[in-house]
Amino acid sequence: MGKIKLLSNIINFSTNQVEGYCVVKAVQLKVNVKGAEYLDFTLSDAEGEINAKLWDYQSTAHGSYNAGDVIKIRATVNMYRDAEQLKIDRIRHVNPSDDVDMSQLVASSPFDGEKLYQEMYDLVGGFKSEELSRLTRYLMREHRDKLVNFPGALRMHHAMRGGLMYHTHTMLSVAKKIVEVYSQFYPELCAELVYSGVILHDIAKTLEYDIGDTGLATAYSTEGQLLGHISMGMAMIEQASAELSISRETTNLLSHILLSHHGVPEFGSPKLPLFPEAEIVSTVDTLDAKLFEMYDALGSTEIGKFSDRVWGLDNRQLYRHGYGLKTDTED
């Protein structure tokens, strides 16, 4: 991880003073050798993190701070044990008038979520199946803001601002290619059922997490912890189908896709995929999650070296070969 962007926002070169916004990644109340309290911070943004100290801390004067808070500080850059450290001179929580660009402070999707949402919405609007179109569009409208902005996970793949839409859009792009190939051999393959299943497979993640000011998931919601997004997603489809008078067949097919999209019971799906469209959604979901985890780990790994163990990939250590970076003229 690189240096925090705040270090480039120097406002006074003579005192090496910086000012800007950042996220509290961790904070501890400590006592120095003289018995005075101070706050020991780890501050971060989308580029990196840094240690910071708020000396002579007084809660009445400075306020209280917790992990996940978005703050504005003015600080002096010092060197401590050959590393840069911040001495905080002024500190406060952000307010709406600050109009902070959160994509500069936390990991965010590289795509415009609103644009991706509209592409999907327009695609569904062109379906031949009136029921699939009406049901999918209804659920998309009901959860639009969360679909666009929510992370895709608490800690695993796509755990970033806008990660849910990023994951769904990537899956949809892959699913279109698969449908293009296999529909030549299996004309019964229903592209629209695949596309609706992809768009709705994680719809209940909009209810599964508690989201902090950073736009990242801070914990599972009570519903999420008790029920999980698979069962909640099925309930959302059942309720919407009843309100829209959707046929039992359409409701059952979409419900099964959600029920089986994790593939096997140990990953939360009580049913294996029982028709081809459900198999495609499950397979593409697994592929996208695994490739994201792989490239995320390899991004901080030197060519010719192995990554740290990746918990989400069975504790594998991944090898970064760099072969795709070579040109045709190289040996």
Side-chain angles (χ1 to χ4, degrees), residues 259-322:
L259 189 70
S260 64
H261 81 266
H262 277 191
V264 290
E266 53 262 42
F267 295 148
S269 283
K271 280 286 188 179
L272 296 175
L274 297 180
F275 49 84
E277 293 83 359
E279 185 67 44
I280 290 174
V281 174
S282 176
T283 298
V284 173
D285 184 37
T286 300
L287 176 64
D288 189 52
K290 286 186 175 182
L291 286 181
F292 184 95
E293 290 281 337
M294 283 186 162
Y295 279 108
D296 187 50
L298 292 172
S300 57
T301 304
E302 294 181 28
I303 293 176
K305 303 291 185 180
F306 287 87
S307 72
D308 293 334
R309 294 189 181 278
V310 183
W311 179 83
L313 296 172
D314 303 313
N315 279 327
R316 280 180 274 176
Q317 288 182 283
L318 306 175
Y319 180 63
R320 188 179 184 195
H321 52 75

Short mmCIF file of all heavy atoms in Angstrom, two decimals, residues 259-322:
data_model
loop_
_atom_site.label_atom_id
_atom_site.label_comp_id
_atom_site.label_asym_id
_atom_site.label_seq_id
_atom_site.Cartn_x
_atom_site.Cartn_y
_atom_site.Cartn_z
N LEU A 259 -31.57 -19.39 -4.67
CA LEU A 259 -31.35 -20.42 -3.66
C LEU A 259 -30.09 -21.23 -3.95
O LEU A 259 -29.39 -21.67 -3.03
CB LEU A 259 -32.56 -21.35 -3.60
CG LEU A 259 -32.62 -22.38 -2.46
CD1 LEU A 259 -32.85 -21.68 -1.14
CD2 LEU A 259 -33.73 -23.39 -2.73
N SER A 260 -29.76 -21.41 -5.22
CA SER A 260 -28.67 -22.31 -5.60
C SER A 260 -27.40 -21.60 -6.07
O SER A 260 -26.45 -22.26 -6.46
CB SER A 260 -29.15 -23.25 -6.71
OG SER A 260 -29.47 -22.53 -7.89
N HIS A 261 -27.37 -20.26 -6.03
CA HIS A 261 -26.26 -19.57 -6.69
C HIS A 261 -24.91 -19.72 -5.99
O HIS A 261 -23.88 -19.46 -6.59
CB HIS A 261 -26.59 -18.10 -6.96
CG HIS A 261 -26.42 -17.17 -5.80
ND1 HIS A 261 -27.44 -16.83 -4.95
CD2 HIS A 261 -25.33 -16.47 -5.36
CE1 HIS A 261 -27.01 -15.97 -4.05
NE2 HIS A 261 -25.73 -15.74 -4.27
N HIS A 262 -24.91 -20.17 -4.73
CA HIS A 262 -23.63 -20.46 -4.07
C HIS A 262 -23.16 -21.89 -4.34
O HIS A 262 -22.12 -22.30 -3.84
CB HIS A 262 -23.73 -20.21 -2.56
CG HIS A 262 -23.54 -18.77 -2.21
ND1 HIS A 262 -23.36 -18.34 -0.91
CD2 HIS A 262 -23.48 -17.65 -2.97
CE1 HIS A 262 -23.22 -17.02 -0.90
NE2 HIS A 262 -23.29 -16.59 -2.14
N GLY A 263 -23.94 -22.62 -5.08
CA GLY A 263 -23.49 -23.90 -5.62
C GLY A 263 -23.63 -25.10 -4.74
O GLY A 263 -24.18 -26.11 -5.15
N VAL A 264 -23.12 -25.02 -3.52
CA VAL A 264 -23.09 -26.20 -2.65
C VAL A 264 -23.51 -25.80 -1.23
O VAL A 264 -23.37 -24.64 -0.84
CB VAL A 264 -21.69 -26.84 -2.61
CG1 VAL A 264 -21.36 -27.50 -3.95
CG2 VAL A 264 -20.62 -25.82 -2.27
N PRO A 265 -23.99 -26.75 -0.44
CA PRO A 265 -24.48 -26.43 0.91
C PRO A 265 -23.46 -25.77 1.82
O PRO A 265 -23.82 -24.88 2.61
CB PRO A 265 -24.89 -27.81 1.45
CG PRO A 265 -25.23 -28.61 0.24
CD PRO A 265 -24.28 -28.15 -0.81
N GLU A 266 -22.19 -26.18 1.72
CA GLU A 266 -21.21 -25.59 2.64
C GLU A 266 -20.98 -24.11 2.39
O GLU A 266 -20.43 -23.41 3.23
CB GLU A 266 -19.87 -26.35 2.57
CG GLU A 266 -19.29 -26.52 1.19
CD GLU A 266 -19.60 -27.88 0.60
OE1 GLU A 266 -20.75 -28.34 0.77
OE2 GLU A 266 -18.70 -28.48 -0.01
N PHE A 267 -21.40 -23.60 1.22
CA PHE A 267 -21.30 -22.18 0.93
C PHE A 267 -22.65 -21.47 1.07
O PHE A 267 -22.79 -20.33 0.64
CB PHE A 267 -20.72 -21.94 -0.46
CG PHE A 267 -19.29 -22.41 -0.61
CD1 PHE A 267 -18.83 -22.89 -1.81
CD2 PHE A 267 -18.42 -22.36 0.47
CE1 PHE A 267 -17.51 -23.31 -1.95
CE2 PHE A 267 -17.11 -22.79 0.35
CZ PHE A 267 -16.65 -23.26 -0.86
N GLY A 268 -23.64 -22.17 1.62
CA GLY A 268 -24.90 -21.52 1.94
C GLY A 268 -26.08 -21.86 1.06
O GLY A 268 -27.19 -21.40 1.31
N SER A 269 -25.87 -22.63 0.00
CA SER A 269 -26.99 -22.98 -0.89
C SER A 269 -27.55 -24.35 -0.54
O SER A 269 -26.86 -25.36 -0.68
CB SER A 269 -26.53 -22.99 -2.36
OG SER A 269 -26.42 -21.68 -2.85
N PRO A 270 -28.80 -24.42 -0.07
CA PRO A 270 -29.39 -25.72 0.29
C PRO A 270 -29.75 -26.58 -0.91
O PRO A 270 -30.08 -27.75 -0.75
CB PRO A 270 -30.65 -25.31 1.07
CG PRO A 270 -30.98 -23.95 0.57
CD PRO A 270 -29.67 -23.29 0.24
N LYS A 271 -29.71 -25.99 -2.12
CA LYS A 271 -30.01 -26.75 -3.33
C LYS A 271 -28.90 -26.54 -4.35
O LYS A 271 -28.38 -25.44 -4.52
CB LYS A 271 -31.33 -26.27 -3.95
CG LYS A 271 -32.59 -26.82 -3.28
CD LYS A 271 -32.78 -28.29 -3.67
CE LYS A 271 -34.12 -28.80 -3.17
NZ LYS A 271 -34.30 -30.22 -3.55
N LEU A 272 -28.54 -27.63 -5.06
CA LEU A 272 -27.66 -27.49 -6.21
C LEU A 272 -28.46 -26.95 -7.38
O LEU A 272 -29.68 -27.14 -7.44
CB LEU A 272 -27.07 -28.86 -6.58
CG LEU A 272 -26.17 -29.53 -5.54
CD1 LEU A 272 -25.78 -30.93 -6.02
CD2 LEU A 272 -24.93 -28.70 -5.29
N PRO A 273 -27.84 -26.27 -8.35
CA PRO A 273 -28.57 -25.79 -9.53
C PRO A 273 -29.23 -26.96 -10.26
O PRO A 273 -28.59 -27.96 -10.57
CB PRO A 273 -27.46 -25.15 -10.38
CG PRO A 273 -26.40 -24.76 -9.40
CD PRO A 273 -26.41 -25.84 -8.36
N LEU A 274 -30.52 -26.80 -10.55
CA LEU A 274 -31.29 -27.90 -11.14
C LEU A 274 -31.76 -27.62 -12.56
O LEU A 274 -32.55 -28.40 -13.11
CB LEU A 274 -32.48 -28.24 -10.24
CG LEU A 274 -32.12 -28.76 -8.84
CD1 LEU A 274 -33.38 -29.07 -8.04
CD2 LEU A 274 -31.22 -30.00 -8.92
N PHE A 275 -31.32 -26.52 -13.15
CA PHE A 275 -31.56 -26.29 -14.58
C PHE A 275 -30.41 -25.43 -15.10
O PHE A 275 -29.70 -24.78 -14.33
CB PHE A 275 -32.93 -25.68 -14.86
CG PHE A 275 -33.30 -24.49 -14.03
CD1 PHE A 275 -32.90 -23.21 -14.39
CD2 PHE A 275 -34.09 -24.63 -12.89
CE1 PHE A 275 -33.25 -22.10 -13.65
CE2 PHE A 275 -34.45 -23.54 -12.12
CZ PHE A 275 -34.03 -22.27 -12.51
N PRO A 276 -30.17 -25.45 -16.41
CA PRO A 276 -28.97 -24.83 -16.98
C PRO A 276 -28.78 -23.36 -16.63
O PRO A 276 -27.65 -22.91 -16.36
CB PRO A 276 -29.15 -25.02 -18.49
CG PRO A 276 -29.99 -26.25 -18.62
CD PRO A 276 -30.95 -26.17 -17.45
N GLU A 277 -29.84 -22.58 -16.64
CA GLU A 277 -29.71 -21.15 -16.35
C GLU A 277 -29.21 -20.92 -14.93
O GLU A 277 -28.39 -20.02 -14.68
CB GLU A 277 -31.05 -20.44 -16.56
CG GLU A 277 -31.51 -20.40 -18.01
CD GLU A 277 -32.23 -21.67 -18.46
OE1 GLU A 277 -32.35 -22.62 -17.63
OE2 GLU A 277 -32.69 -21.72 -19.61
N ALA A 278 -29.66 -21.75 -13.99
CA ALA A 278 -29.18 -21.64 -12.61
C ALA A 278 -27.72 -22.03 -12.52
O ALA A 278 -26.94 -21.44 -11.76
CB ALA A 278 -30.03 -22.53 -11.69
N GLU A 279 -27.32 -23.03 -13.30
CA GLU A 279 -25.91 -23.45 -13.32
C GLU A 279 -25.02 -22.33 -13.84
O GLU A 279 -23.93 -22.09 -13.31
CB GLU A 279 -25.76 -24.69 -14.19
CG GLU A 279 -24.36 -25.30 -14.18
CD GLU A 279 -23.98 -25.90 -12.84
OE1 GLU A 279 -24.81 -26.60 -12.23
OE2 GLU A 279 -22.84 -25.64 -12.38
N ILE A 280 -25.46 -21.64 -14.85
CA ILE A 280 -24.67 -20.54 -15.41
C ILE A 280 -24.48 -19.44 -14.36
O ILE A 280 -23.37 -18.94 -14.15
CB ILE A 280 -25.33 -19.97 -16.68
CG1 ILE A 280 -25.23 -20.99 -17.81
CG2 ILE A 280 -24.66 -18.66 -17.10
CD1 ILE A 280 -26.00 -20.58 -19.06
N VAL A 281 -25.56 -19.04 -13.70
CA VAL A 281 -25.46 -17.99 -12.69
C VAL A 281 -24.51 -18.40 -11.57
O VAL A 281 -23.65 -17.63 -11.15
CB VAL A 281 -26.85 -17.63 -12.12
CG1 VAL A 281 -26.72 -16.62 -10.97
CG2 VAL A 281 -27.76 -17.06 -13.21
N SER A 282 -24.64 -19.62 -11.08
CA SER A 282 -23.78 -20.10 -10.00
C SER A 282 -22.32 -20.14 -10.43
O SER A 282 -21.42 -19.71 -9.70
CB SER A 282 -24.24 -21.49 -9.56
OG SER A 282 -23.37 -22.02 -8.58
N THR A 283 -22.07 -20.64 -11.63
CA THR A 283 -20.70 -20.78 -12.12
C THR A 283 -20.04 -19.42 -12.33
O THR A 283 -18.88 -19.20 -11.95
CB THR A 283 -20.68 -21.57 -13.45
OG1 THR A 283 -21.20 -22.88 -13.21
CG2 THR A 283 -19.28 -21.68 -14.01
N VAL A 284 -20.77 -18.50 -12.93
CA VAL A 284 -20.23 -17.16 -13.19
C VAL A 284 -19.99 -16.42 -11.88
O VAL A 284 -19.00 -15.68 -11.74
CB VAL A 284 -21.17 -16.37 -14.12
CG1 VAL A 284 -20.70 -14.93 -14.25
CG2 VAL A 284 -21.23 -17.02 -15.49
N ASP A 285 -20.87 -16.59 -10.91
CA ASP A 285 -20.69 -15.96 -9.60
C ASP A 285 -19.40 -16.44 -8.95
O ASP A 285 -18.59 -15.65 -8.45
CB ASP A 285 -21.89 -16.29 -8.70
CG ASP A 285 -21.82 -15.60 -7.35
OD1 ASP A 285 -21.37 -14.43 -7.29
OD2 ASP A 285 -22.22 -16.23 -6.35
N THR A 286 -19.18 -17.75 -8.97
CA THR A 286 -17.96 -18.32 -8.38
C THR A 286 -16.72 -17.84 -9.12
O THR A 286 -15.71 -17.46 -8.50
CB THR A 286 -18.02 -19.85 -8.42
OG1 THR A 286 -19.16 -20.30 -7.67
CG2 THR A 286 -16.76 -20.47 -7.83
N LEU A 287 -16.77 -17.85 -10.43
CA LEU A 287 -15.62 -17.42 -11.24
C LEU A 287 -15.26 -15.97 -10.96
O LEU A 287 -14.09 -15.64 -10.74
CB LEU A 287 -15.94 -17.59 -12.73
CG LEU A 287 -14.86 -17.09 -13.71
CD1 LEU A 287 -13.58 -17.90 -13.55
CD2 LEU A 287 -15.38 -17.15 -15.14
N ASP A 288 -16.24 -15.09 -10.95
CA ASP A 288 -15.96 -13.66 -10.74
C ASP A 288 -15.39 -13.41 -9.35
O ASP A 288 -14.46 -12.62 -9.18
CB ASP A 288 -17.22 -12.84 -10.95
CG ASP A 288 -16.92 -11.35 -10.96
OD1 ASP A 288 -16.02 -10.92 -11.72
OD2 ASP A 288 -17.55 -10.60 -10.20
N ALA A 289 -15.93 -14.09 -8.35
CA ALA A 289 -15.43 -13.92 -6.98
C ALA A 289 -13.99 -14.39 -6.87
O ALA A 289 -13.14 -13.72 -6.28
CB ALA A 289 -16.32 -14.70 -6.01
N LYS A 290 -13.68 -15.55 -7.46
CA LYS A 290 -12.33 -16.10 -7.35
C LYS A 290 -11.31 -15.26 -8.12
O LYS A 290 -10.20 -15.02 -7.64
CB LYS A 290 -12.31 -17.54 -7.85
CG LYS A 290 -12.98 -18.52 -6.88
CD LYS A 290 -12.80 -19.96 -7.33
CE LYS A 290 -13.35 -20.92 -6.29
NZ LYS A 290 -13.17 -22.34 -6.67
N LEU A 291 -11.66 -14.81 -9.32
CA LEU A 291 -10.72 -14.00 -10.09
C LEU A 291 -10.45 -12.66 -9.41
O LEU A 291 -9.32 -12.16 -9.42
CB LEU A 291 -11.24 -13.78 -11.51
CG LEU A 291 -11.17 -15.00 -12.43
CD1 LEU A 291 -11.69 -14.64 -13.81
CD2 LEU A 291 -9.74 -15.54 -12.53
N PHE A 292 -11.49 -12.09 -8.80
CA PHE A 292 -11.28 -10.83 -8.07
C PHE A 292 -10.29 -11.04 -6.93
O PHE A 292 -9.36 -10.26 -6.73
CB PHE A 292 -12.60 -10.30 -7.53
CG PHE A 292 -12.47 -8.96 -6.84
CD1 PHE A 292 -12.71 -7.79 -7.52
CD2 PHE A 292 -12.08 -8.89 -5.50
CE1 PHE A 292 -12.58 -6.55 -6.89
CE2 PHE A 292 -11.94 -7.65 -4.87
CZ PHE A 292 -12.20 -6.49 -5.57
N GLU A 293 -10.52 -12.11 -6.15
CA GLU A 293 -9.63 -12.40 -5.02
C GLU A 293 -8.20 -12.65 -5.51
O GLU A 293 -7.22 -12.22 -4.89
CB GLU A 293 -10.14 -13.63 -4.27
CG GLU A 293 -11.42 -13.41 -3.49
CD GLU A 293 -11.20 -12.69 -2.17
OE1 GLU A 293 -10.07 -12.75 -1.65
OE2 GLU A 293 -12.14 -12.06 -1.68
N MET A 294 -8.05 -13.36 -6.62
CA MET A 294 -6.72 -13.67 -7.14
C MET A 294 -5.98 -12.41 -7.55
O MET A 294 -4.84 -12.17 -7.14
CB MET A 294 -6.84 -14.62 -8.33
CG MET A 294 -7.10 -16.07 -7.94
SD MET A 294 -7.05 -17.18 -9.37
CE MET A 294 -6.85 -18.76 -8.55
N TYR A 295 -6.62 -11.58 -8.38
CA TYR A 295 -5.93 -10.39 -8.86
C TYR A 295 -5.72 -9.36 -7.76
O TYR A 295 -4.76 -8.59 -7.80
CB TYR A 295 -6.68 -9.79 -10.05
CG TYR A 295 -6.37 -10.53 -11.33
CD1 TYR A 295 -7.32 -11.35 -11.94
CD2 TYR A 295 -5.12 -10.43 -11.93
CE1 TYR A 295 -7.03 -12.04 -13.10
CE2 TYR A 295 -4.82 -11.12 -13.10
CZ TYR A 295 -5.77 -11.91 -13.68
OH TYR A 295 -5.47 -12.60 -14.82
N ASP A 296 -6.59 -9.37 -6.77
CA ASP A 296 -6.39 -8.48 -5.62
C ASP A 296 -5.12 -8.88 -4.86
O ASP A 296 -4.32 -8.02 -4.47
CB ASP A 296 -7.61 -8.55 -4.69
CG ASP A 296 -7.54 -7.53 -3.57
OD1 ASP A 296 -7.30 -6.34 -3.86
OD2 ASP A 296 -7.70 -7.92 -2.40
N ALA A 297 -4.93 -10.18 -4.66
CA ALA A 297 -3.73 -10.66 -3.96
C ALA A 297 -2.48 -10.48 -4.81
O ALA A 297 -1.41 -10.12 -4.31
CB ALA A 297 -3.91 -12.13 -3.58
N LEU A 298 -2.59 -10.74 -6.12
CA LEU A 298 -1.43 -10.65 -7.00
C LEU A 298 -1.00 -9.21 -7.26
O LEU A 298 0.15 -8.95 -7.62
CB LEU A 298 -1.73 -11.35 -8.33
CG LEU A 298 -1.88 -12.87 -8.25
CD1 LEU A 298 -2.35 -13.42 -9.58
CD2 LEU A 298 -0.56 -13.52 -7.84
N GLY A 299 -1.92 -8.27 -7.05
CA GLY A 299 -1.60 -6.87 -7.28
C GLY A 299 -0.48 -6.35 -6.39
O GLY A 299 0.24 -5.42 -6.77
N SER A 300 -0.33 -6.92 -5.22
CA SER A 300 0.74 -6.50 -4.29
C SER A 300 1.87 -7.54 -4.23
O SER A 300 2.66 -7.54 -3.28
CB SER A 300 0.16 -6.28 -2.89
OG SER A 300 -0.49 -7.44 -2.41
N THR A 301 1.92 -8.43 -5.22
CA THR A 301 2.93 -9.48 -5.26
C THR A 301 3.92 -9.21 -6.40
O THR A 301 3.51 -8.87 -7.51
CB THR A 301 2.27 -10.85 -5.48
OG1 THR A 301 1.30 -11.08 -4.45
CG2 THR A 301 3.31 -11.97 -5.44
N GLU A 302 5.19 -9.35 -6.13
CA GLU A 302 6.20 -9.15 -7.16
C GLU A 302 6.16 -10.29 -8.17
O GLU A 302 5.83 -11.43 -7.84
CB GLU A 302 7.60 -9.10 -6.53
CG GLU A 302 7.85 -7.89 -5.64
CD GLU A 302 9.27 -7.89 -5.09
OE1 GLU A 302 10.16 -8.46 -5.74
OE2 GLU A 302 9.46 -7.34 -3.99
N ILE A 303 6.50 -9.95 -9.42
CA ILE A 303 6.57 -10.97 -10.46
C ILE A 303 7.63 -12.01 -10.08
O ILE A 303 8.72 -11.67 -9.62
CB ILE A 303 6.92 -10.33 -11.82
CG1 ILE A 303 5.74 -9.46 -12.29
CG2 ILE A 303 7.22 -11.41 -12.87
CD1 ILE A 303 6.01 -8.70 -13.56
N GLY A 304 7.27 -13.27 -10.22
CA GLY A 304 8.17 -14.36 -9.86
C GLY A 304 8.07 -14.76 -8.40
O GLY A 304 8.81 -15.65 -7.95
N LYS A 305 7.15 -14.14 -7.66
CA LYS A 305 6.98 -14.44 -6.24
C LYS A 305 5.57 -14.99 -5.97
O LYS A 305 4.68 -14.89 -6.81
CB LYS A 305 7.20 -13.19 -5.38
CG LYS A 305 8.56 -12.52 -5.58
CD LYS A 305 9.69 -13.37 -5.03
CE LYS A 305 11.02 -12.61 -5.13
NZ LYS A 305 12.14 -13.43 -4.61
N PHE A 306 5.40 -15.54 -4.77
CA PHE A 306 4.10 -16.04 -4.33
C PHE A 306 3.46 -15.03 -3.37
O PHE A 306 4.15 -14.38 -2.59
CB PHE A 306 4.24 -17.40 -3.64
CG PHE A 306 4.53 -18.53 -4.58
CD1 PHE A 306 5.84 -18.83 -4.94
CD2 PHE A 306 3.49 -19.28 -5.12
CE1 PHE A 306 6.12 -19.87 -5.82
CE2 PHE A 306 3.75 -20.32 -6.00
CZ PHE A 306 5.07 -20.62 -6.35
N SER A 307 2.14 -14.93 -3.44
CA SER A 307 1.40 -14.05 -2.55
C SER A 307 1.34 -14.63 -1.14
O SER A 307 1.73 -15.79 -0.91
CB SER A 307 -0.03 -13.87 -3.08
OG SER A 307 -0.78 -15.07 -2.88
N ASP A 308 0.85 -13.82 -0.21
CA ASP A 308 0.49 -14.36 1.09
C ASP A 308 -0.68 -15.33 0.90
O ASP A 308 -1.33 -15.33 -0.16
CB ASP A 308 0.06 -13.23 2.04
CG ASP A 308 1.21 -12.30 2.39
OD1 ASP A 308 2.37 -12.77 2.35
OD2 ASP A 308 0.94 -11.12 2.70
N ARG A 309 -0.95 -16.13 1.89
CA ARG A 309 -2.06 -17.07 1.78
C ARG A 309 -3.38 -16.30 1.71
O ARG A 309 -3.59 -15.33 2.44
CB ARG A 309 -2.08 -18.03 2.97
CG ARG A 309 -0.87 -18.97 2.97
CD ARG A 309 -1.00 -20.06 4.01
NE ARG A 309 0.18 -20.93 3.99
CZ ARG A 309 0.35 -21.92 3.14
NH1 ARG A 309 -0.60 -22.20 2.26
NH2 ARG A 309 1.44 -22.66 3.18
N VAL A 310 -4.26 -16.74 0.82
CA VAL A 310 -5.55 -16.08 0.62
C VAL A 310 -6.63 -16.95 1.25
O VAL A 310 -6.94 -18.03 0.75
CB VAL A 310 -5.84 -15.88 -0.88
CG1 VAL A 310 -7.16 -15.12 -1.06
CG2 VAL A 310 -4.69 -15.12 -1.55
N TRP A 311 -7.18 -16.45 2.35
CA TRP A 311 -8.15 -17.23 3.11
C TRP A 311 -9.36 -17.62 2.26
O TRP A 311 -9.83 -18.76 2.32
CB TRP A 311 -8.62 -16.43 4.32
CG TRP A 311 -9.63 -17.16 5.16
CD1 TRP A 311 -9.40 -18.10 6.12
CD2 TRP A 311 -11.06 -17.03 5.08
NE1 TRP A 311 -10.58 -18.55 6.65
CE2 TRP A 311 -11.61 -17.92 6.03
CE3 TRP A 311 -11.91 -16.26 4.29
CZ2 TRP A 311 -12.99 -18.03 6.21
CZ3 TRP A 311 -13.29 -16.37 4.48
CH2 TRP A 311 -13.81 -17.26 5.43
N GLY A 312 -9.84 -16.70 1.44
CA GLY A 312 -11.02 -16.96 0.64
C GLY A 312 -10.79 -17.93 -0.51
O GLY A 312 -11.74 -18.33 -1.18
N LEU A 313 -9.53 -18.31 -0.73
CA LEU A 313 -9.20 -19.27 -1.79
C LEU A 313 -8.50 -20.49 -1.19
O LEU A 313 -7.47 -20.94 -1.67
CB LEU A 313 -8.31 -18.61 -2.84
CG LEU A 313 -8.96 -17.46 -3.63
CD1 LEU A 313 -7.93 -16.75 -4.50
CD2 LEU A 313 -10.12 -17.97 -4.48
N ASP A 314 -9.06 -20.99 -0.11
CA ASP A 314 -8.55 -22.20 0.55
C ASP A 314 -7.10 -22.04 1.00
O ASP A 314 -6.31 -22.99 0.96
CB ASP A 314 -8.68 -23.42 -0.38
CG ASP A 314 -10.10 -23.65 -0.84
OD1 ASP A 314 -11.01 -23.62 0.02
OD2 ASP A 314 -10.32 -23.84 -2.05
N ASN A 315 -6.75 -20.83 1.44
CA ASN A 315 -5.40 -20.54 1.94
C ASN A 315 -4.30 -20.80 0.91
O ASN A 315 -3.16 -21.10 1.26
CB ASN A 315 -5.11 -21.33 3.23
CG ASN A 315 -5.70 -20.65 4.44
OD1 ASN A 315 -5.77 -19.43 4.50
ND2 ASN A 315 -6.12 -21.43 5.41
N ARG A 316 -4.65 -20.67 -0.35
CA ARG A 316 -3.64 -20.84 -1.40
C ARG A 316 -2.68 -19.65 -1.43
O ARG A 316 -3.08 -18.52 -1.18
CB ARG A 316 -4.31 -20.96 -2.77
CG ARG A 316 -4.88 -22.32 -3.08
CD ARG A 316 -5.51 -22.32 -4.46
NE ARG A 316 -6.88 -21.87 -4.44
CZ ARG A 316 -7.63 -21.72 -5.54
NH1 ARG A 316 -7.10 -21.94 -6.73
NH2 ARG A 316 -8.89 -21.32 -5.45
N GLN A 317 -1.43 -19.93 -1.75
CA GLN A 317 -0.47 -18.90 -2.09
C GLN A 317 -0.39 -18.83 -3.61
O GLN A 317 -0.07 -19.82 -4.26
CB GLN A 317 0.91 -19.22 -1.50
CG GLN A 317 1.00 -19.04 0.01
CD GLN A 317 2.39 -19.32 0.52
OE1 GLN A 317 2.80 -20.47 0.63
NE2 GLN A 317 3.13 -18.26 0.82
N LEU A 318 -0.68 -17.68 -4.16
CA LEU A 318 -0.79 -17.54 -5.61
C LEU A 318 0.53 -17.09 -6.21
O LEU A 318 1.26 -16.30 -5.62
CB LEU A 318 -1.88 -16.53 -5.95
CG LEU A 318 -3.25 -16.82 -5.32
CD1 LEU A 318 -4.22 -15.69 -5.63
CD2 LEU A 318 -3.81 -18.15 -5.82
N TYR A 319 0.80 -17.56 -7.41
CA TYR A 319 2.05 -17.24 -8.09
C TYR A 319 1.80 -16.17 -9.15
O TYR A 319 0.92 -16.32 -10.01
CB TYR A 319 2.63 -18.49 -8.76
CG TYR A 319 3.92 -18.26 -9.49
CD1 TYR A 319 5.07 -17.85 -8.81
CD2 TYR A 319 4.00 -18.44 -10.87
CE1 TYR A 319 6.26 -17.64 -9.48
CE2 TYR A 319 5.19 -18.23 -11.55
CZ TYR A 319 6.32 -17.83 -10.84
OH TYR A 319 7.50 -17.62 -11.51
N ARG A 320 2.58 -15.09 -9.11
CA ARG A 320 2.48 -14.06 -10.13
C ARG A 320 3.56 -14.30 -11.17
O ARG A 320 4.72 -13.95 -10.97
CB ARG A 320 2.62 -12.66 -9.53
CG ARG A 320 2.31 -11.58 -10.56
CD ARG A 320 2.41 -10.19 -10.01
NE ARG A 320 2.02 -9.22 -11.03
CZ ARG A 320 2.26 -7.92 -10.95
NH1 ARG A 320 2.88 -7.42 -9.89
NH2 ARG A 320 1.89 -7.10 -11.92
N HIS A 321 3.16 -14.87 -12.30
CA HIS A 321 4.14 -15.25 -13.33
C HIS A 321 4.55 -14.08 -14.22
O HIS A 321 5.67 -14.04 -14.71
CB HIS A 321 3.60 -16.39 -14.19
CG HIS A 321 2.24 -16.12 -14.75
ND1 HIS A 321 2.02 -15.26 -15.80
CD2 HIS A 321 1.02 -16.60 -14.39
CE1 HIS A 321 0.73 -15.23 -16.08
NE2 HIS A 321 0.09 -16.03 -15.25
N GLY A 322 3.66 -13.12 -14.43
CA GLY A 322 4.00 -11.99 -15.27
C GLY A 322 4.06 -12.30 -16.75
O GLY A 322 4.44 -11.45 -17.56
#
